[in-house]
Amino acid sequence: LTSAGITNESIAKSLEKLAGLNRQEIKIGLIPTAMNAQDGNKDWFISGLVDLTNQGFKWVDIVDFSAEDIKWQERLDQVDVIFVNGGNTFHLLDQIRKHKFDTWLLKALETKVYLGVSAGSIVAAPTIKVASCEPADENVPQIIDFTGLNLVDFEISPHTPEVVSYETNEKYASQTSNTLYAIDDNTALEV
């Protein structure tokens, strides 16, 4: 689980280890769904793709499971890594539920690696409430159930201190019963 993706060699090596393949052989299914609900510049998405290629990952399919008429399950069945990218956490969780991506993912994780980036890391937790902290993601779909995927038993606050302050994380940590990991853009948690 990462804050900003595969930003350094250490994270790239961990992904190789988890996938059991060298990086030139790893097939990545990059899911951009979370960024659909955000206006404005997406240069961070392009930077993430550049980071992948700079680290030697050569096979990437971009698959938005919320797009109509896309056979996303067939395409993602072909990959080794499910790379759930960042963007709006509330939109991502809402779309995960509406398209039953969560049900598919639980089976897929028997043979695939989950790599979360920002919102993609937040949704892996028991709850996405941390996305409500300043600077908060807008709850675009107005969901009231913040239950995450429960892939891990802790929460992640990405982009600390780049975007989210330590003080914000300390305040949130005092309000949750889960362990909170505040990670910077060069950090990953390997589970």
Side-chain angles (χ1 to χ4, degrees), residues 30-34 36 61-68 70 72 75-76 91 95 99:
L30 194 154
I31 298 169
T33 306
N36 291 344
D61 187 8
I62 298 175
V63 183
D64 185 348
F65 62 77
S66 69
E68 286 188 38
I70 298 296
W72 61 268
R75 287 172 58 183
L76 292 176
H91 174 74
Q95 294 302 304
H99 296 278

Side-chain angles (χ1 to χ4, degrees), residues 33-37 66 88-96 140-141:
T33 306
M35 70 180 192
N36 291 344
S66 69
N88 184 290
T89 309
F90 299 102
H91 174 74
L92 177 59
L93 184 59
D94 182 56
Q95 294 302 304
I96 284 171
V140 176

Side-chain angles (χ1 to χ4, degrees), residues 26-91:
I26 294 174
K27 293 181 178 181
I28 296 174
L30 194 154
I31 298 169
T33 306
M35 70 180 192
N36 291 344
Q38 287 188 316
D39 291 336
N41 187 10
K42 303 289 188 301
D43 65 339
W44 52 269
F45 177 73
I46 295 165
S47 294
L49 290 174
V50 170
D51 286 342
L52 277 174
T53 57
N54 285 345
Q55 292 296 334
F57 296 91
K58 303 297 181 196
W59 199 103
V60 180
D61 187 8
I62 298 175
V63 183
D64 185 348
F65 62 77
S66 69
E68 286 188 38
D69 301 322
I70 298 296
K71 295 182 179 178
W72 61 268
Q73 292 176 347
E74 290 176 21
R75 287 172 58 183
L76 292 176
D77 282 343
Q78 299 173 37
V79 304
D80 307 299
V81 175
I82 307 298
F83 187 118
V84 182
N85 211 10
N88 184 290
T89 309
F90 299 102
H91 174 74

Side-chain angles (χ1 to χ4, degrees), residues 2-169:
T2 74
S3 177
I6 305 182
T7 55
N8 59 56
E9 180 65 15
S10 176
I11 297 172
K13 282 184 177 179
S14 291
L15 184 57
E16 282 182 305
K17 185 179 95 176
L18 289 169
L21 297 165
N22 81 37
R23 61 190 78 180
Q24 291 83 15
E25 300 171 309
I26 294 174
K27 293 181 178 181
I28 296 174
L30 194 154
I31 298 169
T33 306
M35 70 180 192
N36 291 344
Q38 287 188 316
D39 291 336
N41 187 10
K42 303 289 188 301
D43 65 339
W44 52 269
F45 177 73
I46 295 165
S47 294
L49 290 174
V50 170
D51 286 342
L52 277 174
T53 57
N54 285 345
Q55 292 296 334
F57 296 91
K58 303 297 181 196
W59 199 103
V60 180
D61 187 8
I62 298 175
V63 183
D64 185 348
F65 62 77
S66 69
E68 286 188 38
D69 301 322
I70 298 296
K71 295 182 179 178
W72 61 268
Q73 292 176 347
E74 290 176 21
R75 287 172 58 183
L76 292 176
D77 282 343
Q78 299 173 37
V79 304
D80 307 299
V81 175
I82 307 298
F83 187 118
V84 182
N85 211 10
N88 184 290
T89 309
F90 299 102
H91 174 74
L92 177 59
L93 184 59
D94 182 56
Q95 294 302 304
I96 284 171
R97 291 173 179 158
K98 284 181 177 173
H99 296 278
K100 299 187 178 12
F101 178 75
D102 49 348
T103 304
W104 176 86
L105 181 64
L106 290 177
K107 283 187 169 185
L109 289 178
E110 294 172 10
T111 60
K112 300 180 186 312
V113 176
Y114 182 94
L115 189 143
V117 176
S118 191
S121 292
I122 293 172
V123 297
T127 178
I128 66 161
K129 287 179 188 170
V130 71
S132 298
C133 295
E134 290 300 321
D137 284 356
E138 182 182 354
N139 187 348
V140 176
Q142 297 297 305
I143 61 174
I144 55 173
D145 178 1
F146 294 165
T147 304
L149 297 174
N150 278 300
L151 301 178
V152 295
D153 62 357
F154 55 84
E155 294 179 63
I156 289 185
S157 178
H159 315 301
T160 302
E162 295 90 351
V163 176
V164 182
S165 72
Y166 291 116
E167 294 79 17
T168 296
N169 283 305

